[in-house]
Amino acid sequence: MNWFRKREKPTGYRHCPESYLDKLELKRYANNTVKSYVSCFERFINFYPDKSINELDELDVRQFLKWLVRNNWSNSYINQSKNSIKFYYEVVLGMPNRFYQIERPKKERKLPTVLSKSEVRELINVTRNIKHKCILSLLYSAGLRRSEVLNLKPKDIDSKRMLIKVNDAKGNKDRFTLLAKSTLTDLRTYYKLYRPQTYLFEGQKKEKYSPTSIARIITSAVRKTSIKKHVTAHTFRHSFATHLLENGTDLRHIQMLLGHSSTKTTEIYTHVASNTFNSITNPIDL
Protein backbone atom coordinates (compact mmCIF):
# COMPACT_ATOMS: atom_id res chain seq x y z
CA MET A 1 0.00 0.00 0.00
CA ASN A 2 2.87 2.39 0.70
CA TRP A 3 3.90 2.18 -2.95
CA PHE A 4 0.63 3.86 -3.96
CA ARG A 5 1.10 6.61 -1.42
CA LYS A 6 4.67 7.35 -2.52
CA ARG A 7 3.99 7.48 -6.25
CA GLU A 8 5.02 10.53 -8.20
CA LYS A 9 1.99 12.65 -8.95
CA PRO A 10 2.03 14.11 -12.46
CA THR A 11 0.54 17.57 -12.77
CA GLY A 12 -3.18 17.39 -13.42
CA TYR A 13 -3.50 13.70 -12.59
CA ARG A 14 -6.01 12.90 -9.86
CA HIS A 15 -5.12 10.19 -7.39
CA CYS A 16 -7.31 8.00 -5.21
CA PRO A 17 -8.37 9.71 -1.98
CA GLU A 18 -6.43 8.59 1.06
CA SER A 19 -9.69 7.21 2.49
CA TYR A 20 -9.90 4.79 -0.48
CA LEU A 21 -6.41 3.42 0.20
CA ASP A 22 -7.11 3.24 3.95
CA LYS A 23 -10.26 1.18 3.43
CA LEU A 24 -8.50 -1.23 1.04
CA GLU A 25 -5.75 -1.66 3.60
CA LEU A 26 -8.13 -2.19 6.52
CA LYS A 27 -10.11 -4.79 4.58
CA ARG A 28 -6.82 -6.52 3.70
CA TYR A 29 -7.48 -6.80 0.00
CA ALA A 30 -4.87 -8.75 -1.95
CA ASN A 31 -2.14 -6.70 -3.65
CA ASN A 32 -3.36 -7.53 -7.14
CA THR A 33 -6.90 -6.48 -6.22
CA VAL A 34 -5.60 -3.24 -4.74
CA LYS A 35 -3.66 -2.46 -7.91
CA SER A 36 -6.69 -3.18 -10.09
CA TYR A 37 -9.09 -1.14 -7.96
CA VAL A 38 -6.78 1.86 -7.71
CA SER A 39 -5.96 1.81 -11.42
CA CYS A 40 -9.61 1.48 -12.47
CA PHE A 41 -10.91 4.11 -10.05
CA GLU A 42 -8.24 6.62 -11.04
CA ARG A 43 -9.08 6.11 -14.71
CA PHE A 44 -12.70 6.90 -13.81
CA ILE A 45 -12.04 10.07 -11.81
CA ASN A 46 -9.57 11.34 -14.42
CA PHE A 47 -12.26 10.88 -17.06
CA TYR A 48 -14.00 13.81 -15.32
CA PRO A 49 -11.09 16.13 -14.45
CA ASP A 50 -13.29 19.16 -13.76
CA LYS A 51 -15.84 17.44 -11.52
CA SER A 52 -15.54 16.80 -7.81
CA ILE A 53 -15.43 13.09 -7.08
CA ASN A 54 -18.46 13.29 -4.80
CA GLU A 55 -20.48 15.12 -7.46
CA LEU A 56 -20.22 12.21 -9.89
CA ASP A 57 -23.49 10.29 -10.21
CA GLU A 58 -24.97 7.22 -11.87
CA LEU A 59 -25.19 8.98 -15.24
CA ASP A 60 -21.46 9.78 -15.10
CA VAL A 61 -20.70 6.16 -14.29
CA ARG A 62 -22.79 4.99 -17.25
CA GLN A 63 -21.04 7.41 -19.60
CA PHE A 64 -17.64 6.21 -18.43
CA LEU A 65 -18.55 2.54 -18.84
CA LYS A 66 -19.96 3.26 -22.31
CA TRP A 67 -16.62 4.86 -23.20
CA LEU A 68 -14.81 1.70 -22.07
CA VAL A 69 -17.12 -0.45 -24.22
CA ARG A 70 -16.66 1.76 -27.29
CA ASN A 71 -12.90 1.63 -26.86
CA ASN A 72 -12.92 -2.17 -26.74
CA TRP A 73 -11.86 -2.67 -23.13
CA SER A 74 -12.45 -6.27 -22.05
CA ASN A 75 -15.60 -7.31 -20.20
CA SER A 76 -13.54 -8.26 -17.16
CA TYR A 77 -11.92 -4.81 -17.04
CA ILE A 78 -15.31 -3.10 -17.34
CA ASN A 79 -16.67 -5.22 -14.49
CA GLN A 80 -13.59 -4.48 -12.40
CA SER A 81 -14.07 -0.77 -13.08
CA LYS A 82 -17.64 -0.90 -11.86
CA ASN A 83 -16.54 -2.75 -8.73
CA SER A 84 -13.85 -0.14 -8.01
CA ILE A 85 -16.39 2.69 -8.36
CA LYS A 86 -18.96 0.91 -6.18
CA PHE A 87 -16.24 0.35 -3.57
CA TYR A 88 -15.70 4.09 -3.18
CA TYR A 89 -19.30 5.20 -2.92
CA GLU A 90 -20.73 2.22 -1.06
CA VAL A 91 -17.83 1.03 1.11
CA VAL A 92 -15.61 4.09 1.63
CA LEU A 93 -18.44 6.65 1.85
CA GLY A 94 -20.99 4.19 3.25
CA MET A 95 -23.72 5.17 0.80
CA PRO A 96 -26.54 2.72 -0.02
CA ASN A 97 -26.28 0.63 -3.18
CA ARG A 98 -26.29 3.27 -5.90
CA PHE A 99 -25.30 1.42 -9.03
CA TYR A 100 -27.21 -1.88 -8.93
CA GLN A 101 -29.24 -0.85 -12.00
CA ILE A 102 -26.17 -0.38 -14.17
CA GLU A 103 -25.83 -3.35 -16.49
CA ARG A 104 -22.77 -5.55 -16.34
CA PRO A 105 -21.31 -7.08 -19.50
CA LYS A 106 -21.33 -10.86 -19.54
CA LYS A 107 -18.22 -12.35 -18.05
CA GLU A 108 -15.92 -13.71 -20.72
CA ARG A 109 -15.50 -17.46 -20.58
CA LYS A 110 -12.16 -18.15 -22.21
CA LEU A 111 -10.61 -21.57 -21.86
CA PRO A 112 -7.17 -21.71 -20.24
CA THR A 113 -4.00 -22.61 -22.11
CA VAL A 114 -2.81 -26.03 -20.95
CA LEU A 115 0.57 -27.67 -21.46
CA SER A 116 0.97 -31.40 -21.97
CA LYS A 117 2.92 -33.32 -19.32
CA SER A 118 5.84 -33.69 -21.73
CA GLU A 119 5.87 -29.94 -22.39
CA VAL A 120 5.96 -29.21 -18.65
CA ARG A 121 8.85 -31.64 -18.18
CA GLU A 122 10.69 -30.09 -21.10
CA LEU A 123 10.36 -26.56 -19.69
CA ILE A 124 11.61 -27.67 -16.29
CA ASN A 125 14.47 -29.77 -17.71
CA VAL A 126 15.85 -27.01 -19.96
CA THR A 127 16.06 -24.72 -16.92
CA ARG A 128 19.57 -25.27 -15.56
CA ASN A 129 19.63 -22.70 -12.76
CA ILE A 130 18.48 -24.62 -9.68
CA LYS A 131 16.55 -21.65 -8.23
CA HIS A 132 14.70 -21.11 -11.50
CA LYS A 133 14.02 -24.83 -11.81
CA CYS A 134 12.52 -24.95 -8.32
CA ILE A 135 10.23 -22.03 -9.13
CA LEU A 136 8.88 -23.69 -12.27
CA SER A 137 8.52 -27.00 -10.43
CA LEU A 138 6.47 -25.37 -7.67
CA LEU A 139 4.24 -23.49 -10.10
CA TYR A 140 3.30 -26.81 -11.69
CA SER A 141 3.61 -29.53 -9.04
CA ALA A 142 1.84 -27.49 -6.34
CA GLY A 143 -0.51 -25.52 -8.59
CA LEU A 144 0.61 -22.25 -7.04
CA ARG A 145 -0.14 -18.75 -8.21
CA ARG A 146 2.90 -16.60 -8.97
CA SER A 147 2.28 -14.43 -5.89
CA GLU A 148 2.03 -17.54 -3.72
CA VAL A 149 5.45 -18.76 -4.87
CA LEU A 150 6.92 -15.34 -4.13
CA ASN A 151 5.42 -15.30 -0.61
CA LEU A 152 6.64 -18.76 0.36
CA LYS A 153 9.00 -19.04 3.33
CA PRO A 154 11.30 -21.99 4.06
CA LYS A 155 9.12 -23.03 7.02
CA ASP A 156 6.14 -23.46 4.67
CA ILE A 157 7.76 -26.55 3.13
CA ASP A 158 6.62 -29.51 5.25
CA SER A 159 8.84 -32.37 4.07
CA LYS A 160 7.55 -34.81 6.71
CA ARG A 161 3.95 -34.55 5.52
CA MET A 162 4.93 -33.76 1.92
CA LEU A 163 2.77 -30.66 1.94
CA ILE A 164 3.23 -26.94 1.29
CA LYS A 165 1.40 -24.38 3.40
CA VAL A 166 0.12 -21.39 1.44
CA ASN A 167 -0.47 -18.45 3.77
CA ASP A 168 -2.78 -15.48 3.13
CA ALA A 169 -3.60 -16.57 -0.39
CA LYS A 170 -6.32 -15.02 -2.53
CA GLY A 171 -9.24 -14.08 -0.30
CA ASN A 172 -6.91 -14.08 2.75
CA LYS A 173 -7.23 -17.86 3.04
CA ASP A 174 -4.61 -20.38 4.13
CA ARG A 175 -4.45 -23.82 2.53
CA PHE A 176 -2.21 -26.82 2.00
CA THR A 177 -1.15 -28.18 -1.35
CA LEU A 178 1.06 -31.01 -2.59
CA LEU A 179 4.84 -31.24 -2.33
CA ALA A 180 6.32 -33.50 -5.02
CA LYS A 181 9.30 -35.72 -4.17
CA SER A 182 11.32 -34.47 -7.15
CA THR A 183 10.60 -30.86 -6.19
CA LEU A 184 11.70 -31.52 -2.60
CA THR A 185 14.99 -32.96 -3.85
CA ASP A 186 15.64 -29.86 -5.95
CA LEU A 187 14.59 -27.56 -3.08
CA ARG A 188 17.13 -29.20 -0.76
CA THR A 189 19.89 -28.67 -3.31
CA TYR A 190 18.78 -25.09 -3.83
CA TYR A 191 18.61 -24.34 -0.09
CA LYS A 192 22.17 -25.55 0.53
CA LEU A 193 23.46 -23.28 -2.27
CA TYR A 194 21.45 -20.11 -1.63
CA ARG A 195 20.57 -20.19 2.09
CA PRO A 196 17.49 -17.93 1.79
CA GLN A 197 16.83 -15.88 4.93
CA THR A 198 13.23 -14.64 4.99
CA TYR A 199 11.57 -15.78 1.80
CA LEU A 200 12.18 -19.07 0.05
CA PHE A 201 13.17 -17.19 -3.11
CA GLU A 202 15.12 -13.98 -2.74
CA GLY A 203 17.00 -11.58 -4.98
CA GLN A 204 20.69 -10.74 -4.78
CA LYS A 205 20.12 -8.35 -1.87
CA LYS A 206 18.01 -10.91 -0.02
CA GLU A 207 14.80 -9.07 -0.90
CA LYS A 208 11.65 -10.90 -2.00
CA TYR A 209 11.95 -12.23 -5.55
CA SER A 210 10.03 -10.16 -8.10
CA PRO A 211 7.12 -11.13 -10.40
CA THR A 212 9.05 -9.90 -13.45
CA SER A 213 11.91 -12.24 -12.59
CA ILE A 214 9.55 -15.22 -12.75
CA ALA A 215 8.16 -13.99 -16.07
CA ARG A 216 11.71 -13.82 -17.45
CA ILE A 217 12.46 -17.36 -16.25
CA ILE A 218 9.42 -18.68 -18.11
CA THR A 219 10.18 -16.70 -21.28
CA SER A 220 13.76 -17.99 -21.27
CA ALA A 221 12.63 -21.60 -20.81
CA VAL A 222 10.05 -21.40 -23.62
CA ARG A 223 12.66 -19.97 -26.02
CA LYS A 224 14.82 -23.04 -25.47
CA THR A 225 11.99 -25.33 -26.65
CA SER A 226 9.77 -25.62 -29.71
CA ILE A 227 6.63 -24.84 -27.68
CA LYS A 228 4.46 -22.30 -29.51
CA LYS A 229 1.83 -21.77 -26.81
CA HIS A 230 1.66 -18.54 -24.82
CA VAL A 231 3.04 -19.67 -21.46
CA THR A 232 2.70 -17.68 -18.23
CA ALA A 233 3.05 -18.61 -14.56
CA HIS A 234 -0.69 -19.33 -14.47
CA THR A 235 -0.33 -21.78 -17.38
CA PHE A 236 1.54 -24.12 -15.04
CA ARG A 237 -1.32 -23.88 -12.50
CA HIS A 238 -3.90 -24.57 -15.22
CA SER A 239 -1.86 -27.56 -16.37
CA PHE A 240 -1.57 -28.92 -12.80
CA ALA A 241 -5.37 -28.84 -12.36
CA THR A 242 -6.07 -30.31 -15.81
CA HIS A 243 -3.61 -33.16 -15.39
CA LEU A 244 -5.04 -34.03 -11.97
CA LEU A 245 -8.52 -34.15 -13.48
CA GLU A 246 -7.31 -36.33 -16.36
CA ASN A 247 -5.78 -38.71 -13.81
CA GLY A 248 -9.16 -39.12 -12.09
CA THR A 249 -8.72 -36.77 -9.11
CA ASP A 250 -12.05 -35.64 -7.68
CA LEU A 251 -13.00 -32.09 -8.63
CA ARG A 252 -13.52 -31.10 -5.00
CA HIS A 253 -9.96 -32.19 -4.15
CA ILE A 254 -8.64 -30.07 -7.02
CA GLN A 255 -10.73 -27.14 -5.77
CA MET A 256 -9.15 -27.52 -2.32
CA LEU A 257 -5.60 -27.70 -3.70
CA LEU A 258 -6.13 -24.61 -5.87
CA GLY A 259 -7.87 -22.64 -3.12
CA HIS A 260 -11.01 -21.93 -5.15
CA SER A 261 -14.03 -20.74 -3.15
CA SER A 262 -16.46 -22.51 -5.47
CA THR A 263 -16.37 -25.63 -7.61
CA LYS A 264 -17.80 -23.49 -10.43
CA THR A 265 -14.36 -21.92 -10.84
CA THR A 266 -12.70 -25.33 -10.92
CA GLU A 267 -15.21 -26.78 -13.38
CA ILE A 268 -13.59 -24.89 -16.26
CA TYR A 269 -10.94 -27.62 -16.38
CA THR A 270 -13.55 -30.17 -17.42
CA HIS A 271 -13.69 -28.25 -20.72
CA VAL A 272 -9.99 -28.80 -21.47
CA ALA A 273 -9.28 -32.19 -19.88
CA SER A 274 -8.65 -34.79 -22.59
CA ASN A 275 -10.60 -37.54 -20.80
CA THR A 276 -13.75 -35.44 -21.27
CA PHE A 277 -13.53 -36.33 -24.97
CA ASN A 278 -12.09 -39.85 -24.79
CA SER A 279 -15.51 -41.54 -24.73
CA ILE A 280 -16.65 -39.66 -27.85
CA THR A 281 -16.03 -41.35 -31.20
CA ASN A 282 -15.16 -38.93 -33.98
CA PRO A 283 -17.73 -39.26 -36.80
CA ILE A 284 -14.96 -39.63 -39.40
CA ASP A 285 -13.96 -42.90 -37.69
CA LEU A 286 -17.50 -44.34 -37.65
Side-chain angles (χ1 to χ4, degrees):
M1 292 298 298
N2 287 333
W3 181 84
F4 290 101
R5 293 187 171 96
K6 294 176 181 178
R7 286 178 298 165
E8 291 185 12
K9 300 182 179 181
T11 304
Y13 185 81
R14 304 169 77 183
H15 282 65
C16 269
E18 190 70 19
S19 56
Y20 195 98
L21 299 174
D22 288 342
K23 187 64 74 171
L24 286 169
E25 190 169 19
L26 286 169
K27 293 183 82 66
R28 297 190 65 192
Y29 275 40
N31 283 336
N32 287 339
T33 305
V34 170
K35 288 178 182 178
S36 296
Y37 270 43
V38 171
S39 172
C40 290
F41 189 67
E42 289 186 344
R43 187 179 294 278
F44 168 62
I45 61 179
N46 282 283
F47 190 74
Y48 297 102
D50 301 322
K51 262 192 170 184
S52 167
I53 297 175
N54 294 343
E55 288 177 3
L56 297 170
D57 57 23
E58 187 174 322
L59 181 60
D60 295 315
V61 176
R62 281 182 182 275
Q63 289 299 115
F64 173 68
L65 296 178
K66 281 182 184 178
W67 178 82
L68 291 177
V69 170
R70 289 167 184 163
N71 284 273
N72 297 317
W73 289 88
S74 69
N75 288 0
S76 60
Y77 183 86
I78 295 169
N79 279 321
Q80 189 81 303
S81 295
K82 183 177 177 182
N83 290 339
S84 72
I85 295 166
K86 282 170 63 69
F87 183 84
Y88 179 66
Y89 293 104
E90 297 173 10
V91 180
V92 178
L93 298 184
M95 293 181 176
N97 194 328
R98 300 179 67 195
F99 307 117
Y100 65 93
Q101 292 181 336
I102 295 178
E103 303 81 6
R104 285 183 181 272
K106 287 185 178 180
K107 193 172 183 181
E108 294 162 323
R109 188 75 169 178
K110 293 185 178 179
L111 295 179
T113 298
V114 174
L115 298 165
S116 67
K117 292 178 185 177
S118 61
E119 286 173 330
V120 172
R121 282 194 291 268
E122 187 178 5
L123 288 170
I124 293 173
N125 290 338
V126 298
T127 304
R128 299 302 180 190
N129 181 293
I130 188 63
K131 180 198 285 187
H132 299 171
K133 185 178 182 182
C134 285
I135 288 171
L136 296 188
S137 296
L138 283 169
L139 286 170
Y140 173 67
S141 66
L144 297 177
R145 299 178 178 93
R146 181 174 64 176
S147 60
E148 293 169 350
V149 170
L150 295 172
N151 288 326
L152 282 176
K153 296 180 179 178
K155 65 180 181 180
D156 297 328
I157 307 299
D158 188 341
S159 59
K160 291 183 179 179
R161 299 173 65 208
M162 293 305 291
L163 295 172
I164 298 170
K165 188 178 182 187
V166 185
N167 297 292
D168 292 326
K170 192 173 182 180
N172 297 321
K173 295 174 293 186
D174 295 350
R175 75 178 191 279
F176 283 98
T177 187
L178 307 176
L179 172 62
K181 291 179 180 178
S182 58
T183 304
L184 177 60
T185 301
D186 287 338
L187 281 171
R188 283 173 169 160
T189 302
Y190 157 73
Y191 189 84
K192 290 175 184 177
L193 286 171
Y194 285 84
R195 296 291 177 182
Q197 295 177 3
T198 304
Y199 292 98
L200 185 58
F201 300 109
E202 297 173 331
Q204 293 181 349
K205 297 179 181 178
K206 294 298 180 183
E207 77 283 6
K208 187 197 291 190
Y209 216 52
S210 72
T212 53
S213 295
I214 291 185
R216 283 196 290 267
I217 292 168
I218 295 169
T219 300
S220 174
V222 172
R223 283 175 179 166
K224 294 174 184 175
T225 70
S226 58
I227 296 170
K228 301 301 180 185
K229 297 173 183 174
H230 177 62
V231 183
T232 67
H234 225 66
T235 307
F236 288 89
R237 178 173 160 89
H238 289 320
S239 303
F240 166 79
T242 303
H243 297 162
L244 284 177
L245 190 61
E246 290 173 343
N247 289 337
T249 305
D250 184 85
L251 201 63
R252 289 191 177 275
H253 290 156
I254 299 172
Q255 175 195 353
M256 176 186 66
L257 292 171
L258 295 177
H260 287 163
S261 299
S262 167
T263 51
K264 287 185 178 180
T265 310
T266 318
E267 281 170 3
I268 194 170
Y269 299 110
T270 62
H271 296 276
V272 291
S274 61
N275 57 353
T276 303
F277 309 98
N278 288 344
S279 61
I280 304 171
T281 303
N282 195 299
I284 201 170
D285 297 324
L286 291 173

